[in-house]
């Protein structure tokens, strides 16, 4: 390992777990472009969810094999590929032993809250896949690659919406005259978001017990599709989900505006979250890798750049739509989730800025380009996938097939 200016070892080899997904693909290319040696580990289960639920990305996406071949032919850079499930420890062991990563970026989880609330089996799958997968990564680091820095994708949703400011991972509390710095309280609101809480606890424990060094990136909702690398060729194009199971708020609203569907504000629309551009996701991960913590340290960074309520997003998209000639309407949809619809929200997010993050804030030009992008592919939109069909209250043990 080469030493960085501050004396810490500089990561050279990065394993990107979940590197065929939305954030992972963009990150794998970005790191490869920056000179890191990259290996993608992915089970391709995300593509299977699409088949099982009858969904598809707005953008056509090439197979992972063709993606990697195209990257090599354009840039001369090789990305190693390991197809398999990280819940299978023998597979993961082989990937770790052969690649010997200096850093492992872990995106490889079932990441949809609605998916985890479809039925019992999807709830169990989500928590098993995410919690056991992460435990396996922790064991693999302990057994085969002790110095490997774990960069784990967490979520801002771990904190829920408390009526006080949200800190970055820890809060200092004085209780009965004594003071301590403790993990910030977690109040997740789906079986998916809860799986991230369980991961955080397991990671924190293994940092203490085994001296693992880890960074939990509590990421907000990601929007956008293009990065410097994915726009180099059609075969490098990223996925863009707009359906009610995997699509996230701002991406969905842009696609809805493009096809003339009213924007689906759930409930009162005061739900406020942290958001970031996918170009900042790749930047944040690179910053976390380039500035690893100490062995035994469990760092937590809140990874988002701006806060918006759902109503604010709807009004931003409505105004941007006008400029590109779209007449955008909004509809209030009965909220399929159980969540606060009007609440206080003020979350700290300074640690990544201190490391050098230069945010791409949500601007008119980004909204214009995302809208134009959605218009370009609007013939691929299946409007039946737009309205929500998963209800937090009616989840049951009976297996459910979504048909609308
Ligand atoms: P995604 O579903 O597009 O990608 C996840 C990838 O992981 C997929 O390619 C999938 O096949 C793979 N995967 C899942 N389980 C696996 C397993 N057991 N073994 C191997 N591979 C497996 O999701 P994304 O949007 O890219 O999110 C990536 C990570 O970032 C997730 O952990 C998610 O919780 C987190 N995150 C995402 C967002 C967002 O808005 N997209 C926001 C905050 C946090
Ligand atoms: N919402 C609407 N209308 C829609 C879609 C969503 O009003 O059509 C509302 C939801 O009710 C929620 C908010 O928008 O209050 C955000 O929902 P979302 O679907 O955009 O995001 P969420 O379910 O929170 O999950 C996404 C990713 C997940 C990640 C999380 C970050 O899918 O992987 O962990 O964002 S965070 O929200 O900060 O926890």
């Amino acid at each position: 390992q080469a030493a960085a200016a501050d004396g810490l070892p500089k990561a050279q080899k990065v394993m990107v777990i979940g590197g065929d997904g939305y954030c992972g693909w963009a990150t794998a290319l970005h790191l490869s472009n920056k000179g890191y040696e990259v290996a993608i580990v992915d089970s391709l289960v995300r593509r299977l969810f699409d088949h099982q639920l009858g969904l598809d990305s707005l953008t056509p996406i090439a197979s992972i094999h063709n993606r990697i071949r195209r990257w090599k032919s354009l840039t001369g850079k090789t990305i190693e590929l390991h197809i398999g499930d990280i819940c299978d420890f023998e597979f993961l062991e082989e990937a770790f032993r052969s690649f010997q990563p200096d850093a492992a970026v872990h995106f490889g989880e079932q990441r949809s809250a609605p998916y985890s609330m479809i039925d019992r089996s999807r709830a169990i799958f989500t928590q098993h896949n995410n919690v056991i997968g992460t435990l396996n990564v922790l064991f693999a680091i302990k057994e085969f690659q002790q110095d490997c820095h774990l960069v784990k994708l967490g979520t801002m949703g771990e904190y829920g919406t408390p009526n006080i400011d949200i800190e970055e991972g820890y809060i200092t509390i004085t209780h009965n005259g004594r003071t301590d710095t403790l993990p910030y309280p977690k109040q997740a609101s789906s079986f998916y978001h809860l799986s991230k809480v369980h991961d955080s606890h397991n990671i924190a424990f293994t940092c203490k017990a085994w001296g693992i060094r880890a960074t939990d990136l509590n990421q907000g909702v990601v929007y956008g599709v293009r990065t410097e690398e994915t726009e180099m060729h059609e075969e490098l194009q990223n996925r863009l989900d707009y359906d009610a199971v995997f699509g996230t708020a701002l991406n969905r609203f842009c696609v809805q505006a493009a096809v003339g569907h009213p924007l689906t504000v759930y409930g009162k629309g005061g739900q406020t979250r942290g958001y970031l551009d996918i170009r900042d996701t790749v930047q944040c991960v690179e910053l976390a890798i380039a500035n690893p913590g100490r062995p035994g340290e469990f760092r937590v960074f809140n990874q988002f750049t701006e806060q918006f309520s759902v109503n604010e997003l709807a009004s931003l998209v409505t105004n941007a739509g006008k400029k590109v000639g779209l007449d955008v309407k909004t509809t209030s949809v009965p909220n399929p989730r159980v969540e606060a619809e009007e609440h206080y929200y003020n979350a700290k997010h300074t640690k990544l800025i201190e490391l050098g993050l230069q945010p791409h804030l949500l601007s008119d030009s980004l909204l214009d380009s995302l809208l134009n992008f959605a218009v370009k592919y609007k013939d691929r939109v299946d409007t039946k996938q737009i309205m929500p069909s998963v209800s937090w209250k009616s989840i049951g043990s009976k297996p459910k097939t979504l048909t609308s």
Side-chain angles (χ1 to χ4, degrees):
Q1 283 190 354
D6 56 7
L8 291 165
K10 183 176 171 348
Q12 305 284 322
K13 295 170 107 186
V14 183
M15 177 181 277
V16 181
I17 304 171
D20 185 46
Y22 173 56
C23 300
W25 175 238
T27 303
L29 290 188
H30 180 73
L31 294 174
S32 173
N33 210 17
K34 293 282 172 177
Y36 289 96
E37 223 180 289
V38 174
I40 286 178
V41 171
D42 202 301
S43 62
L44 310 188
V45 70
R46 176 70 191 82
R47 294 179 186 246
L48 181 65
F49 300 148
D50 277 351
H51 289 309
Q52 291 181 336
L53 298 175
L55 310 173
D56 204 355
S57 159
L58 174 80
T59 44
I61 52 171
S63 70
I64 184 66
H65 309 84
N66 284 339
R67 282 176 154 185
I68 285 174
R69 268 186 222 121
R70 177 59 62 189
W71 180 245
K72 169 97 183 169
S73 77
L74 283 175
T75 65
K77 294 176 192 296
T78 303
I79 293 181
E80 238 184 64
L81 179 63
H82 300 258
I83 303 284
D85 184 342
I86 59 163
C87 294
D88 169 357
F89 192 73
E90 280 177 23
F91 159 75
L92 189 64
E93 171 175 351
E94 182 49 37
F96 259 80
R97 281 187 186 279
S98 70
F99 185 64
Q100 301 185 346
D102 302 308
V105 189
H106 181 13
F107 294 99
E109 299 200 329
Q110 190 303 96
R111 70 104 173 124
S112 155
Y115 185 94
S116 75
M117 302 300 292
I118 294 176
D119 57 18
R120 188 200 67 92
S121 75
R122 264 61 169 251
I124 303 273
F125 170 83
T126 300
Q127 293 215 347
H128 182 274
N129 186 64
N130 296 2
V131 176
I132 306 303
T134 297
L135 272 175
N136 277 347
V137 173
L138 291 167
F139 271 97
I141 291 174
K142 177 178 193 289
E143 306 247 320
F144 317 121
Q145 203 66 22
Q146 288 235 346
D147 283 335
C148 178
H149 173 204
L150 172 63
V151 178
K152 166 67 170 47
L153 271 291
T155 179
M156 285 301 293
E158 293 183 39
Y159 303 118
T161 54
N163 201 28
I164 56 171
D165 292 348
I166 294 173
E167 304 297 321
E168 295 198 62
Y170 300 91
I171 183 167
T172 301
I173 297 177
T174 301
H175 178 65
N176 293 345
R178 298 183 65 81
T179 300
D180 202 355
T181 296
L182 300 166
Y184 195 94
K186 307 287 168 75
Q187 300 187 76
S189 63
S190 74
F191 287 121
Y192 153 70
H193 287 98
L194 281 159
S195 74
K196 295 288 199 186
V197 174
H198 307 329
D199 283 342
S200 295
H201 288 147
N202 287 338
I203 300 168
F205 168 70
T206 58
C207 285
K208 250 188 217 159
W210 303 339
I212 284 179
R213 56 175 154 183
T215 305
D216 207 354
L217 297 175
N218 280 346
Q219 188 170 236
V221 188
V222 183
Y223 60 80
V225 63
R226 289 197 172 117
T227 55
E228 189 187 324
E229 292 81 15
T230 63
E231 65 190 357
M232 284 167 64
H233 193 278
E234 265 207 336
E235 274 190 317
L236 302 179
Q237 185 154 261
N238 207 342
R239 63 176 311 120
L240 188 68
D241 301 312
Y242 65 90
D243 61 274
V245 176
F246 281 94
T248 48
L250 184 54
N251 288 345
R252 268 166 67 69
F253 285 179
C254 288
V255 176
Q256 291 168 358
V259 297
H261 192 291
L263 309 185
T264 53
V265 169
Y266 297 167
K268 294 187 183 140
Q271 301 95 307
T272 304
R273 302 285 184 269
Y275 287 80
L276 75 163
D277 189 308
I278 190 158
R279 291 172 295 177
D280 291 340
T281 296
V282 306
Q283 224 193 121
C284 290
V285 172
E286 186 193 351
L287 285 168
I289 293 170
N291 300 280
R294 295 182 307 277
E297 189 184 4
F298 179 53
R299 300 190 302 184
V300 183
F301 299 162
N302 291 347
Q303 180 168 316
F304 71 94
T305 58
E306 290 172 281
Q307 294 184 180
F308 298 104
S309 71
V310 177
N311 284 331
E312 284 168 341
L313 291 181
S315 109
L316 286 167
V317 172
T318 305
N319 292 334
K322 270 193 205 122
K323 288 205 298 174
V324 294
L326 296 168
D327 177 22
V328 184
K329 301 263 182 304
T330 291
T331 178
S332 172
V333 176
N335 198 337
R337 308 183 180 200
V338 177
E339 60 184 358
E341 294 175 2
E342 286 172 318
H343 57 88
Y344 177 77
Y345 199 77
N346 183 33
K348 302 282 170 64
H349 55 112
T350 53
K351 290 190 184 173
L352 283 157
I353 302 276
E354 282 160 18
L355 287 181
L357 170 66
Q358 296 190 311
H360 295 84
L361 299 181
L362 181 59
S363 62
D364 290 354
S365 64
L366 183 276
L367 273 177
D368 289 357
S369 90
L370 196 52
L371 277 170
N372 284 324
F373 202 81
V375 170
K376 175 175 174 194
Y377 287 106
K378 78 181 168 81
D379 290 346
R380 288 176 51 87
V381 173
D382 176 358
T383 52
K384 295 189 294 305
Q385 306 297 347
I386 290 178
M387 290 303 276
S389 52
V390 177
S391 148
W392 265 226
K393 286 200 171 139
S394 62
I395 181 173
S397 58
K398 194 168 161 230
K400 191 166 164 197
T401 303
L402 301 181
T403 49
S404 63

